[in-house]
Amino acid sequence: MWYHVSDANSYLVITGGGIPDVKIVKKAWMFPWQKCSKITISPFDFEITLQAMTIEKLNFSLPAVFTIGPDDNQESLTKYAKILTGNASQAISPGRDHVQEIVKGIIEGETRVIVSGMTMEEIFKERQVFKTAVIKNVQSELNQFGLRIYNANVKELQDTNGSEYFKSLSRKAHEGASNQAKVDVANAKMLGNIGEAEKIGRTRQEISKIDAQTAVLETQRKSEKAQADAQLATTQIKLDMGINLARITAQRQADAKDSELQKDVEVQRAQTELEKRRATDLVHAKIERESVEQRANAKFDADSKNADGVLYKQQQDAVARYNATVKDTDAKVYREQKEAEVNFFRASKEADAAFIAKQKEAAGIMEMAKAYEHMASVLGGPQGLLQYMMLQDNTYEKLAQANAQAINGLQPKITVRNSGENAGGSGDATAPIRNILQSLPPLLSTINDQTGIAPPSWLASMGTQQGQSEERALVKAQKEKLVNGDGGRR
Protein backbone atom coordinates (compact mmCIF):
# COMPACT_ATOMS: atom_id res chain seq x y z
CA MET A 1 0.00 0.00 0.00
CA TRP A 2 1.40 3.41 -0.98
CA TYR A 3 0.46 7.00 -0.18
CA HIS A 4 0.37 9.33 -3.21
CA VAL A 5 0.33 13.14 -3.20
CA SER A 6 -0.14 15.32 -6.33
CA ASP A 7 1.49 18.65 -7.17
CA ALA A 8 -0.32 21.95 -6.65
CA ASN A 9 -1.33 22.10 -10.33
CA SER A 10 -2.16 18.40 -10.65
CA TYR A 11 -4.72 15.83 -9.59
CA LEU A 12 -4.54 12.05 -8.96
CA VAL A 13 -6.79 9.91 -11.17
CA ILE A 14 -7.47 6.59 -9.40
CA THR A 15 -9.25 3.56 -10.85
CA GLY A 16 -9.55 -0.06 -9.79
CA GLY A 17 -11.13 -2.11 -7.04
CA GLY A 18 -13.47 -0.30 -4.71
CA ILE A 19 -13.93 2.62 -7.16
CA PRO A 20 -17.04 2.41 -9.34
CA ASP A 21 -15.84 4.80 -12.06
CA VAL A 22 -12.99 7.30 -11.60
CA LYS A 23 -11.78 8.98 -8.42
CA ILE A 24 -10.00 12.35 -8.72
CA VAL A 25 -8.25 13.59 -5.57
CA LYS A 26 -5.15 15.49 -4.45
CA LYS A 27 -3.87 12.74 -2.11
CA ALA A 28 -4.86 9.14 -1.36
CA TRP A 29 -3.72 5.70 -0.17
CA MET A 30 -3.14 3.29 -3.05
CA PHE A 31 -3.85 -0.44 -2.92
CA PRO A 32 -2.19 -3.05 -5.16
CA TRP A 33 -5.43 -3.60 -7.07
CA GLN A 34 -5.73 0.07 -7.97
CA LYS A 35 -4.02 2.26 -10.61
CA CYS A 36 -3.09 5.93 -10.34
CA SER A 37 -2.14 8.58 -12.92
CA LYS A 38 -1.64 12.34 -12.75
CA ILE A 39 -3.29 15.05 -14.82
CA THR A 40 -2.20 18.68 -14.80
CA ILE A 41 -4.70 21.53 -14.94
CA SER A 42 -2.20 24.17 -16.06
CA PRO A 43 -3.57 25.97 -19.14
CA PHE A 44 -1.52 26.01 -22.33
CA ASP A 45 -1.31 28.46 -25.27
CA PHE A 46 -1.37 27.58 -28.92
CA GLU A 47 -1.54 29.76 -32.01
CA ILE A 48 -3.68 29.11 -35.05
CA THR A 49 -4.11 30.92 -38.35
CA LEU A 50 -7.57 30.54 -39.84
CA GLN A 51 -8.51 31.05 -43.48
CA ALA A 52 -12.09 32.31 -43.54
CA MET A 53 -14.57 34.01 -45.86
CA THR A 54 -17.06 36.73 -44.88
CA ILE A 55 -20.67 37.10 -45.94
CA GLU A 56 -19.31 39.38 -48.72
CA LYS A 57 -17.22 36.42 -49.99
CA LEU A 58 -13.94 38.15 -49.05
CA ASN A 59 -11.09 35.85 -48.04
CA PHE A 60 -8.83 36.84 -45.18
CA SER A 61 -6.38 35.34 -42.69
CA LEU A 62 -7.25 35.41 -38.98
CA PRO A 63 -4.30 34.80 -36.60
CA ALA A 64 -5.41 33.98 -33.02
CA VAL A 65 -3.95 32.76 -29.74
CA PHE A 66 -6.06 30.69 -27.33
CA THR A 67 -5.29 29.81 -23.70
CA ILE A 68 -7.11 26.57 -22.80
CA GLY A 69 -6.93 24.09 -19.93
CA PRO A 70 -9.02 21.69 -17.87
CA ASP A 71 -11.75 23.31 -15.79
CA ASP A 72 -11.09 22.98 -12.05
CA ASN A 73 -14.22 21.14 -10.89
CA GLN A 74 -15.01 17.47 -10.34
CA GLU A 75 -17.38 17.05 -13.27
CA SER A 76 -15.04 18.68 -15.82
CA LEU A 77 -11.95 16.89 -14.47
CA THR A 78 -13.76 13.57 -14.73
CA LYS A 79 -14.67 14.24 -18.38
CA TYR A 80 -11.12 15.34 -19.15
CA ALA A 81 -9.55 12.31 -17.43
CA LYS A 82 -11.86 9.84 -19.14
CA ILE A 83 -11.72 11.31 -22.68
CA LEU A 84 -8.40 13.09 -23.22
CA THR A 85 -5.78 11.55 -20.90
CA GLY A 86 -4.73 8.76 -23.30
CA ASN A 87 -2.61 6.05 -21.61
CA ALA A 88 -3.55 5.97 -17.93
CA SER A 89 -0.08 4.77 -16.87
CA GLN A 90 1.60 8.04 -17.91
CA ALA A 91 1.16 11.62 -16.77
CA ILE A 92 -0.09 13.91 -19.51
CA SER A 93 2.69 16.20 -20.74
CA PRO A 94 2.20 19.99 -21.01
CA GLY A 95 2.35 19.80 -24.79
CA ARG A 96 -0.79 17.70 -25.19
CA ASP A 97 -0.66 17.58 -28.98
CA HIS A 98 -3.75 15.42 -29.33
CA VAL A 99 -5.72 17.89 -27.17
CA GLN A 100 -4.54 20.79 -29.33
CA GLU A 101 -5.66 19.03 -32.50
CA ILE A 102 -9.14 18.50 -31.06
CA VAL A 103 -9.39 22.08 -29.82
CA LYS A 104 -8.05 23.45 -33.11
CA GLY A 105 -10.68 21.59 -35.09
CA ILE A 106 -13.46 22.95 -32.82
CA ILE A 107 -12.15 26.53 -33.00
CA GLU A 108 -11.78 26.49 -36.80
CA GLY A 109 -15.27 25.14 -37.30
CA GLU A 110 -17.02 27.53 -34.93
CA THR A 111 -15.00 30.55 -36.11
CA ARG A 112 -15.83 29.91 -39.76
CA VAL A 113 -19.52 29.62 -38.85
CA ILE A 114 -19.45 32.99 -37.07
CA VAL A 115 -17.39 34.74 -39.79
CA SER A 116 -19.67 33.54 -42.56
CA GLY A 117 -22.54 35.53 -41.04
CA MET A 118 -20.61 38.82 -40.59
CA THR A 119 -19.27 41.48 -42.95
CA MET A 120 -15.63 42.51 -43.08
CA GLU A 121 -16.53 45.89 -41.57
CA GLU A 122 -18.32 44.26 -38.62
CA ILE A 123 -15.36 41.97 -37.93
CA PHE A 124 -12.95 44.88 -38.13
CA LYS A 125 -14.90 47.34 -36.00
CA GLU A 126 -16.75 45.00 -33.59
CA ARG A 127 -13.64 43.11 -32.51
CA GLN A 128 -14.89 42.54 -28.95
CA VAL A 129 -18.30 41.29 -30.15
CA PHE A 130 -16.58 38.87 -32.54
CA LYS A 131 -14.24 37.65 -29.81
CA THR A 132 -17.14 37.12 -27.37
CA ALA A 133 -19.13 35.15 -29.96
CA VAL A 134 -16.14 32.90 -30.76
CA ILE A 135 -15.46 32.19 -27.06
CA LYS A 136 -19.14 31.46 -26.37
CA ASN A 137 -19.55 29.00 -29.28
CA VAL A 138 -16.21 27.28 -28.75
CA GLN A 139 -16.76 26.99 -25.00
CA SER A 140 -20.10 25.29 -25.52
CA GLU A 141 -18.28 22.59 -27.56
CA LEU A 142 -15.34 22.27 -25.14
CA ASN A 143 -17.62 21.64 -22.16
CA GLN A 144 -18.09 18.04 -23.28
CA PHE A 145 -14.32 17.53 -22.91
CA GLY A 146 -14.06 19.28 -19.52
CA LEU A 147 -11.96 22.11 -21.03
CA ARG A 148 -12.22 25.82 -20.42
CA ILE A 149 -11.09 28.85 -22.45
CA TYR A 150 -9.14 31.15 -20.16
CA ASN A 151 -8.34 33.72 -22.81
CA ALA A 152 -8.68 34.30 -26.56
CA ASN A 153 -6.67 36.94 -28.38
CA VAL A 154 -7.57 37.75 -32.00
CA LYS A 155 -4.65 39.40 -33.78
CA GLU A 156 -4.80 41.84 -36.69
CA LEU A 157 -6.61 40.59 -39.78
CA GLN A 158 -4.33 39.87 -42.74
CA ASP A 159 -4.69 39.55 -46.52
CA THR A 160 -4.52 36.14 -48.12
CA ASN A 161 -2.35 35.43 -51.13
CA GLY A 162 -3.54 37.48 -54.11
CA SER A 163 -5.68 39.86 -52.01
CA GLU A 164 -4.83 43.50 -51.24
CA TYR A 165 -7.95 44.44 -49.26
CA PHE A 166 -6.25 45.51 -46.00
CA LYS A 167 -3.39 47.10 -47.92
CA SER A 168 -5.91 49.24 -49.79
CA LEU A 169 -7.61 50.10 -46.52
CA SER A 170 -4.27 51.27 -45.15
CA ARG A 171 -3.75 53.57 -48.13
CA LYS A 172 -7.28 54.83 -47.74
CA ALA A 173 -6.74 55.57 -44.04
CA HIS A 174 -3.54 57.46 -44.86
CA GLU A 175 -5.29 59.61 -47.46
CA GLY A 176 -8.24 60.11 -45.13
CA ALA A 177 -5.94 61.22 -42.31
CA SER A 178 -4.23 63.70 -44.65
CA ASN A 179 -7.57 65.14 -45.75
CA GLN A 180 -8.81 65.19 -42.18
CA ALA A 181 -5.69 67.11 -41.15
CA LYS A 182 -6.52 69.78 -43.71
CA VAL A 183 -10.08 69.92 -42.44
CA ASP A 184 -8.83 70.17 -38.83
CA VAL A 185 -6.54 73.09 -39.75
CA ALA A 186 -9.45 74.94 -41.34
CA ASN A 187 -11.61 74.07 -38.36
CA ALA A 188 -8.98 75.34 -35.94
CA LYS A 189 -8.78 78.66 -37.80
CA MET A 190 -12.55 78.96 -37.73
CA LEU A 191 -12.64 78.17 -34.00
CA GLY A 192 -9.90 80.74 -33.40
CA ASN A 193 -11.87 83.46 -35.16
CA ILE A 194 -15.05 82.45 -33.39
CA GLY A 195 -13.25 82.31 -30.04
CA GLU A 196 -11.77 85.77 -30.54
CA ALA A 197 -15.17 87.22 -31.40
CA GLU A 198 -16.69 85.38 -28.44
CA LYS A 199 -14.09 86.78 -26.02
CA ILE A 200 -14.68 90.31 -27.30
CA GLY A 201 -18.43 89.83 -26.92
CA ARG A 202 -18.02 88.40 -23.43
CA THR A 203 -15.79 91.33 -22.45
CA ARG A 204 -18.50 93.74 -23.51
CA GLN A 205 -21.09 91.66 -21.72
CA GLU A 206 -19.06 91.62 -18.50
CA ILE A 207 -18.59 95.42 -18.68
CA SER A 208 -22.33 95.83 -19.17
CA LYS A 209 -22.94 93.39 -16.34
CA ILE A 210 -20.62 95.32 -13.97
CA ASP A 211 -22.33 98.59 -14.89
CA ALA A 212 -25.71 97.01 -14.27
CA GLN A 213 -24.58 95.58 -10.92
CA THR A 214 -23.24 99.01 -9.88
CA ALA A 215 -26.61 100.54 -10.70
CA VAL A 216 -28.30 97.73 -8.78
CA LEU A 217 -26.12 98.37 -5.71
CA GLU A 218 -27.12 102.04 -5.73
CA THR A 219 -30.80 101.11 -5.51
CA GLN A 220 -32.99 98.51 -3.76
CA ARG A 221 -35.31 95.83 -4.98
CA LYS A 222 -38.45 96.70 -6.80
CA SER A 223 -42.01 95.95 -5.71
CA GLU A 224 -43.42 92.40 -5.83
CA LYS A 225 -45.86 93.15 -8.61
CA ALA A 226 -43.20 94.68 -10.83
CA GLN A 227 -40.92 91.73 -10.18
CA ALA A 228 -43.66 89.27 -11.15
CA ASP A 229 -44.23 91.15 -14.41
CA ALA A 230 -40.50 91.09 -15.11
CA GLN A 231 -40.30 87.36 -14.45
CA LEU A 232 -43.23 86.78 -16.80
CA ALA A 233 -41.55 88.79 -19.54
CA THR A 234 -38.24 87.00 -18.96
CA THR A 235 -39.90 83.57 -19.10
CA GLN A 236 -41.65 84.49 -22.33
CA ILE A 237 -38.36 85.61 -23.86
CA LYS A 238 -36.67 82.37 -22.78
CA LEU A 239 -39.48 80.30 -24.27
CA ASP A 240 -39.26 82.20 -27.55
CA MET A 241 -35.50 81.77 -27.64
CA GLY A 242 -35.82 78.03 -26.89
CA ILE A 243 -38.38 77.60 -29.68
CA ASN A 244 -36.13 79.42 -32.15
CA LEU A 245 -33.09 77.38 -31.11
CA ALA A 246 -35.06 74.13 -31.33
CA ARG A 247 -36.33 75.06 -34.80
CA ILE A 248 -32.81 75.87 -36.02
CA THR A 249 -31.40 72.68 -34.45
CA ALA A 250 -34.12 70.54 -36.03
CA GLN A 251 -33.40 72.06 -39.44
CA ARG A 252 -29.69 71.39 -39.04
CA GLN A 253 -30.35 67.81 -37.93
CA ALA A 254 -32.62 67.24 -40.92
CA ASP A 255 -29.89 68.52 -43.25
CA ALA A 256 -27.34 66.28 -41.55
CA LYS A 257 -29.68 63.27 -41.78
CA ASP A 258 -30.27 63.94 -45.48
CA SER A 259 -26.54 64.07 -46.09
CA GLU A 260 -26.10 60.86 -44.14
CA LEU A 261 -28.82 59.10 -46.15
CA GLN A 262 -27.24 60.26 -49.38
CA LYS A 263 -23.97 58.90 -48.12
CA ASP A 264 -25.60 55.53 -47.35
CA VAL A 265 -27.13 55.42 -50.81
CA GLU A 266 -23.73 56.02 -52.37
CA VAL A 267 -22.22 53.32 -50.15
CA GLN A 268 -24.89 50.77 -51.12
CA ARG A 269 -24.49 51.60 -54.81
CA ALA A 270 -20.73 51.19 -54.55
CA GLN A 271 -21.13 47.88 -52.69
CA THR A 272 -23.47 46.53 -55.41
CA GLU A 273 -21.02 47.51 -58.12
CA LEU A 274 -18.21 45.98 -56.10
CA GLU A 275 -20.08 42.63 -55.81
CA LYS A 276 -20.66 42.49 -59.60
CA ARG A 277 -17.06 43.17 -60.51
CA ARG A 278 -15.29 41.55 -57.57
CA ALA A 279 -13.68 38.78 -59.75
CA THR A 280 -11.43 41.16 -61.75
CA ASP A 281 -11.50 44.73 -60.45
CA LEU A 282 -12.49 44.26 -56.78
CA VAL A 283 -9.62 46.33 -55.40
CA HIS A 284 -10.02 49.19 -57.88
CA ALA A 285 -13.77 49.42 -57.31
CA LYS A 286 -13.22 49.41 -53.58
CA ILE A 287 -10.67 52.20 -53.82
CA GLU A 288 -12.96 54.23 -56.07
CA ARG A 289 -15.87 53.75 -53.68
CA GLU A 290 -13.79 54.78 -50.73
CA SER A 291 -12.54 57.84 -52.62
CA VAL A 292 -16.14 58.81 -53.28
CA GLU A 293 -16.89 58.31 -49.60
CA GLN A 294 -13.94 60.48 -48.64
CA ARG A 295 -15.07 63.26 -50.92
CA ALA A 296 -18.63 62.94 -49.68
CA ASN A 297 -17.37 62.96 -46.08
CA ALA A 298 -15.21 66.01 -46.78
CA LYS A 299 -18.16 67.81 -48.38
CA PHE A 300 -20.41 66.74 -45.52
CA ASP A 301 -17.86 67.94 -42.95
CA ALA A 302 -17.49 71.29 -44.74
CA ASP A 303 -21.28 71.74 -44.93
CA SER A 304 -21.60 70.75 -41.27
CA LYS A 305 -18.93 73.24 -40.24
CA ASN A 306 -20.60 76.02 -42.20
CA ALA A 307 -23.99 75.13 -40.74
CA ASP A 308 -22.48 75.02 -37.24
CA GLY A 309 -20.93 78.45 -37.79
CA VAL A 310 -24.25 79.94 -38.91
CA LEU A 311 -26.04 78.26 -35.99
CA TYR A 312 -23.46 79.52 -33.52
CA LYS A 313 -23.76 83.08 -34.84
CA GLN A 314 -27.55 82.96 -34.61
CA GLN A 315 -27.30 81.60 -31.09
CA GLN A 316 -24.91 84.38 -30.07
CA ASP A 317 -27.22 87.04 -31.58
CA ALA A 318 -30.20 85.54 -29.76
CA VAL A 319 -28.27 85.46 -26.47
CA ALA A 320 -27.15 89.09 -26.92
CA ARG A 321 -30.73 90.24 -27.61
CA TYR A 322 -31.95 88.23 -24.63
CA ASN A 323 -29.32 89.73 -22.29
CA ALA A 324 -30.13 93.29 -23.45
CA THR A 325 -33.86 92.73 -22.92
CA VAL A 326 -33.26 91.19 -19.49
CA LYS A 327 -31.07 94.10 -18.38
CA ASP A 328 -33.63 96.71 -19.55
CA THR A 329 -36.42 94.85 -17.79
CA ASP A 330 -34.36 94.48 -14.59
CA ALA A 331 -33.49 98.20 -14.57
CA LYS A 332 -37.16 99.19 -14.99
CA VAL A 333 -38.37 96.78 -12.33
CA TYR A 334 -35.63 97.87 -9.94
CA ARG A 335 -36.50 101.56 -10.37
CA GLU A 336 -40.18 100.87 -9.64
CA GLN A 337 -39.24 98.78 -6.62
CA LYS A 338 -37.11 101.62 -5.20
CA GLU A 339 -39.94 104.14 -5.63
CA ALA A 340 -42.37 101.80 -3.92
CA GLU A 341 -39.92 101.18 -1.06
CA VAL A 342 -39.34 104.94 -0.56
CA ASN A 343 -43.11 105.56 -0.37
CA PHE A 344 -43.54 102.62 1.96
CA PHE A 345 -40.67 103.83 4.20
CA ARG A 346 -42.12 107.36 4.42
CA ALA A 347 -45.60 106.09 5.27
CA SER A 348 -44.13 103.66 7.83
CA LYS A 349 -42.17 106.42 9.55
CA GLU A 350 -45.21 108.74 9.69
CA ALA A 351 -47.34 105.94 11.11
CA ASP A 352 -44.63 105.08 13.65
CA ALA A 353 -44.40 108.75 14.74
CA ALA A 354 -48.17 109.00 15.17
CA PHE A 355 -48.21 105.70 17.04
CA ILE A 356 -45.44 106.83 19.41
CA ALA A 357 -47.21 110.15 20.05
CA LYS A 358 -50.42 108.32 20.92
CA GLN A 359 -48.46 105.96 23.15
CA LYS A 360 -46.84 108.90 24.99
CA GLU A 361 -50.20 110.66 25.34
CA ALA A 362 -51.81 107.48 26.67
CA ALA A 363 -48.91 106.97 29.08
CA GLY A 364 -49.32 110.56 30.35
CA ILE A 365 -53.03 110.03 30.86
CA MET A 366 -52.35 106.77 32.71
CA GLU A 367 -49.86 108.50 35.00
CA MET A 368 -52.32 111.33 35.66
CA ALA A 369 -55.03 108.76 36.39
CA LYS A 370 -52.72 107.01 38.86
CA ALA A 371 -51.94 110.38 40.52
CA TYR A 372 -55.65 111.25 40.69
CA GLU A 373 -56.38 107.82 42.18
CA HIS A 374 -53.76 108.37 44.88
CA MET A 375 -55.09 111.88 45.59
CA ALA A 376 -58.64 110.50 45.81
CA SER A 377 -57.54 107.98 48.43
CA VAL A 378 -55.86 110.79 50.40
CA LEU A 379 -58.80 113.23 50.08
CA GLY A 380 -61.38 110.68 51.19
CA GLY A 381 -62.76 109.50 47.90
CA PRO A 382 -63.75 110.81 44.45
CA GLN A 383 -65.95 113.51 45.98
CA GLY A 384 -63.05 114.98 47.90
CA LEU A 385 -60.86 114.84 44.77
CA LEU A 386 -63.58 116.63 42.79
CA GLN A 387 -63.83 119.38 45.41
CA TYR A 388 -60.06 119.72 45.48
CA MET A 389 -59.84 120.06 41.72
CA MET A 390 -62.67 122.62 41.75
CA LEU A 391 -60.80 124.61 44.40
CA GLN A 392 -57.56 124.36 42.39
CA ASP A 393 -59.27 125.63 39.25
CA ASN A 394 -61.24 128.31 41.22
CA THR A 395 -64.41 126.69 39.98
CA TYR A 396 -66.49 128.03 42.90
CA GLU A 397 -65.37 131.59 42.28
CA LYS A 398 -66.04 131.21 38.57
CA LEU A 399 -69.52 129.83 39.31
CA ALA A 400 -70.23 132.72 41.73
CA GLN A 401 -69.04 135.24 39.17
CA ALA A 402 -71.14 133.58 36.47
CA ASN A 403 -74.21 133.58 38.75
CA ALA A 404 -73.59 137.21 39.71
CA GLN A 405 -73.23 138.19 36.07
CA ALA A 406 -76.36 136.24 35.24
CA ILE A 407 -78.54 138.01 37.81
CA ASN A 408 -76.83 141.41 37.61
CA GLY A 409 -79.36 144.08 36.66
CA LEU A 410 -82.37 141.78 36.89
CA GLN A 411 -83.83 143.77 39.81
CA PRO A 412 -85.89 140.86 41.23
CA LYS A 413 -88.97 141.54 43.20
CA ILE A 414 -89.10 139.49 46.43
CA THR A 415 -92.21 139.53 48.60
CA VAL A 416 -92.03 138.03 52.07
CA ARG A 417 -95.31 137.50 53.87
CA ASN A 418 -95.34 136.80 57.57
CA SER A 419 -98.50 135.45 59.11
CA GLY A 420 -97.11 134.42 62.44
CA GLU A 421 -95.92 136.27 65.44
CA ASN A 422 -93.76 138.54 63.26
CA ALA A 423 -96.71 139.76 61.26
CA GLY A 424 -96.84 143.46 60.80
CA GLY A 425 -93.20 143.86 59.73
CA SER A 426 -91.64 144.09 63.15
CA GLY A 427 -89.69 140.75 62.91
CA ASP A 428 -86.51 139.55 61.12
CA ALA A 429 -86.85 139.51 57.32
CA THR A 430 -84.42 136.61 56.89
CA ALA A 431 -86.29 134.28 59.17
CA PRO A 432 -88.18 132.43 56.35
CA ILE A 433 -84.95 131.69 54.47
CA ARG A 434 -83.29 130.56 57.67
CA ASN A 435 -86.18 128.24 58.42
CA ILE A 436 -85.93 126.65 54.93
CA LEU A 437 -82.20 126.06 55.28
CA GLN A 438 -82.63 124.56 58.73
CA SER A 439 -85.08 122.02 57.32
CA LEU A 440 -82.64 120.82 54.61
CA PRO A 441 -80.33 118.55 56.72
CA PRO A 442 -83.17 116.36 58.03
CA LEU A 443 -84.59 116.15 54.49
CA LEU A 444 -81.24 115.11 53.03
CA SER A 445 -80.75 112.51 55.77
CA THR A 446 -84.15 110.98 54.96
CA ILE A 447 -83.27 110.85 51.23
CA ASN A 448 -79.96 109.11 52.05
CA ASP A 449 -81.71 106.49 54.19
CA GLN A 450 -84.31 105.70 51.54
CA THR A 451 -82.29 105.95 48.30
CA GLY A 452 -78.62 105.69 49.33
CA ILE A 453 -77.82 109.05 47.65
CA ALA A 454 -75.48 111.11 49.88
CA PRO A 455 -75.43 114.91 49.65
CA PRO A 456 -72.15 116.85 49.50
CA SER A 457 -70.26 116.93 52.76
CA TRP A 458 -70.60 120.69 53.13
CA LEU A 459 -74.35 120.48 52.70
CA ALA A 460 -74.79 117.47 55.00
CA SER A 461 -73.05 119.25 57.88
CA MET A 462 -75.57 122.08 57.96
CA GLY A 463 -77.81 120.27 60.43
CA THR A 464 -75.04 119.79 63.03
CA GLN A 465 -73.62 123.27 62.62
CA GLN A 466 -76.74 125.29 62.99
CA GLY A 467 -75.02 128.37 64.19
CA GLN A 468 -72.65 128.46 61.30
CA SER A 469 -75.50 127.80 58.89
CA GLU A 470 -77.50 130.67 60.31
CA GLU A 471 -74.49 132.95 60.02
CA ARG A 472 -73.90 131.87 56.43
CA ALA A 473 -77.59 132.40 55.65
CA LEU A 474 -77.40 135.87 57.15
CA VAL A 475 -74.32 136.70 55.11
CA LYS A 476 -76.03 135.42 52.00
CA ALA A 477 -79.11 137.55 52.69
CA GLN A 478 -76.89 140.58 53.14
CA LYS A 479 -75.19 139.84 49.84
CA GLU A 480 -78.57 139.69 48.15
CA LYS A 481 -79.47 143.04 49.62
CA LEU A 482 -76.30 144.51 48.31
CA VAL A 483 -76.96 143.03 44.87
CA ASN A 484 -80.51 144.48 44.84
CA GLY A 485 -79.22 147.82 45.95
CA ASP A 486 -82.06 148.91 48.32
CA GLY A 487 -82.08 146.31 51.10
CA GLY A 488 -85.82 146.78 51.78
CA ARG A 489 -88.91 144.72 51.17
CA ARG A 490 -90.97 144.99 48.09
Side-chain angles (χ1 to χ4, degrees):
M1 187 169 60
W2 304 271
Y3 186 78
H4 289 263
V5 178
S6 67
D7 297 330
N9 62 340
S10 301
Y11 278 89
L12 299 177
V13 180
I14 304 173
T15 59
I19 299 175
D21 189 5
V22 177
K23 181 179 181 181
I24 299 176
V25 293
K26 283 285 188 180
K27 55 188 176 179
W29 287 98
M30 291 294 301
F31 297 97
W33 55 83
Q34 294 178 343
K35 290 184 179 182
C36 176
S37 63
K38 292 182 180 180
I39 58 173
T40 177
I41 62 172
S42 298
F44 57 93
D45 297 334
F46 64 95
E47 298 183 1
I48 59 173
T49 302
L50 302 176
Q51 302 294 328
M53 180 180 293
T54 66
I55 194 173
E56 301 163 318
K57 298 181 177 58
L58 296 176
N59 291 321
F60 66 98
S61 178
L62 178 64
V65 179
F66 286 84
T67 302
I68 298 176
D71 200 358
D72 190 10
N73 59 71
Q74 286 293 326
E75 181 181 359
S76 298
L77 290 175
T78 301
K79 292 179 180 179
Y80 178 75
K82 293 171 65 175
I83 298 174
L84 299 178
T85 53
N87 189 357
S89 63
Q90 300 177 355
I92 305 304
S93 64
R96 289 171 283 196
D97 295 336
H98 65 293
V99 177
Q100 292 188 12
E101 292 297 327
I102 295 174
V103 172
K104 182 178 179 181
I106 294 174
I107 293 174
E108 287 181 349
E110 294 299 328
T111 304
R112 287 194 178 97
V113 171
I114 295 172
V115 170
S116 64
M118 299 177 67
T119 63
M120 185 67 74
E121 198 73 9
E122 291 175 348
I123 297 173
F124 192 80
K125 291 184 178 180
E126 302 293 335
R127 185 73 59 85
Q128 185 61 37
V129 176
F130 173 71
K131 174 183 174 181
T132 303
V134 171
I135 292 176
K136 180 179 178 182
N137 288 10
V138 173
Q139 182 63 60
S140 64
E141 295 294 328
L142 293 180
N143 286 335
Q144 61 185 328
F145 299 101
L147 296 176
R148 173 186 175 188
I149 299 176
Y150 288 90
N151 184 37
N153 184 16
V154 179
K155 297 183 178 179
E156 294 295 330
L157 305 179
Q158 299 177 0
D159 289 322
T160 58
N161 294 331
S163 175
E164 294 182 353
Y165 179 82
F166 294 108
K167 185 177 179 181
S168 300
L169 287 180
S170 178
R171 288 199 302 269
K172 168 200 167 184
H174 179 73
E175 293 177 0
S178 178
N179 294 332
Q180 185 63 37
K182 295 178 181 179
V183 173
D184 291 340
V185 170
N187 187 28
K189 290 182 180 179
M190 182 190 70
L191 293 178
N193 295 332
I194 293 174
E196 182 180 359
E198 182 181 1
K199 292 299 182 182
I200 293 174
R202 286 186 178 178
T203 301
R204 293 178 180 176
Q205 291 176 9
E206 290 298 328
I207 293 174
S208 300
K209 184 177 180 181
I210 293 173
D211 294 339
Q213 289 177 350
T214 303
V216 170
L217 290 176
E218 294 174 354
T219 55
Q220 297 292 331
R221 295 181 178 177
K222 303 171 182 70
S223 64
E224 293 295 331
K225 182 179 181 302
Q227 186 176 6
D229 295 338
Q231 290 178 353
L232 178 60
T234 302
T235 304
Q236 186 63 40
I237 292 171
K238 288 182 178 179
L239 291 175
D240 294 340
M241 183 182 69
I243 292 171
N244 293 332
L245 291 177
R247 186 181 295 111
I248 294 171
T249 303
Q251 183 63 33
R252 296 298 180 271
Q253 290 178 351
D255 295 340
K257 186 64 177 178
D258 183 59
S259 299
E260 184 178 354
L261 292 175
Q262 291 179 0
K263 175 185 174 182
D264 293 339
V265 170
E266 293 296 331
V267 171
Q268 292 297 330
R269 185 181 295 111
Q271 288 179 350
T272 303
E273 186 67 19
L274 178 64
E275 182 65 23
K276 292 179 180 179
R277 304 175 58 186
R278 65 181 179 82
T280 56
D281 52 355
L282 175 63
V283 175
H284 299 289
K286 192 70 174 183
I287 293 174
E288 181 65 23
R289 181 179 65 83
E290 292 170 354
S291 299
V292 172
E293 288 181 357
Q294 287 296 326
R295 288 194 296 271
N297 289 335
K299 184 177 181 301
F300 172 74
D301 292 338
D303 294 341
S304 298
K305 296 299 182 182
N306 293 332
D308 291 340
V310 173
L311 175 61
Y312 181 79
K313 184 176 181 302
Q314 292 177 354
Q315 287 179 344
Q316 292 299 320
D317 293 341
V319 171
R321 289 194 299 271
Y322 166 73
N323 291 334
T325 304
V326 171
K327 290 184 181 300
D328 294 341
T329 304
D330 291 342
K332 180 179 177 182
V333 173
Y334 186 79
R335 183 169 58 253
E336 293 178 357
Q337 282 183 343
K338 289 307 296 178
E339 293 176 356
E341 288 182 358
V342 169
N343 295 332
F344 174 75
F345 181 77
R346 184 187 298 111
S348 298
K349 290 300 181 182
E350 291 176 355
D352 292 341
F355 177 71
I356 292 173
K358 292 296 183 180
Q359 281 185 332
K360 296 297 183 182
E361 183 178 354
I365 294 174
M366 290 295 295
E367 294 297 330
M368 290 178 64
K370 292 179 180 179
Y372 287 152
E373 182 181 3
H374 183 67
M375 291 177 63
S377 62
V378 173
L379 296 175
Q383 189 66 34
L385 176 63
L386 178 62
Q387 293 178 2
Y388 173 76
M389 293 179 66
M390 293 177 68
L391 290 174
Q392 287 292 107
D393 295 339
N394 296 323
T395 303
Y396 293 111
E397 295 180 3
K398 292 177 181 179
L399 290 174
Q401 291 177 1
N403 291 332
Q405 292 176 1
I407 64 175
N408 185 21
L410 293 179
Q411 296 180 359
K413 296 180 181 181
I414 300 173
T415 301
V416 179
R417 299 181 182 276
N418 293 328
S419 60
E421 58 183 6
N422 294 324
S426 61
D428 186 4
T430 62
I433 296 174
R434 182 173 64 253
N435 294 333
I436 292 173
L437 294 176
Q438 288 177 354
S439 64
L440 282 176
L443 178 62
L444 294 176
S445 177
T446 302
I447 292 172
N448 186 20
D449 294 338
Q450 294 180 0
T451 63
I453 299 175
S457 58
W458 59 272
L459 183 61
S461 61
M462 292 180 60
T464 58
Q465 299 177 354
Q466 182 176 359
Q468 295 179 359
S469 299
E470 293 176 354
E471 183 178 359
R472 292 174 181 173
L474 181 60
V475 172
K476 183 176 180 181
Q478 291 176 356
K479 287 183 178 181
E480 291 178 353
K481 292 179 180 180
L482 292 175
V483 171
N484 295 331
D486 53 0
R489 297 189 186 94
R490 293 184 182 180

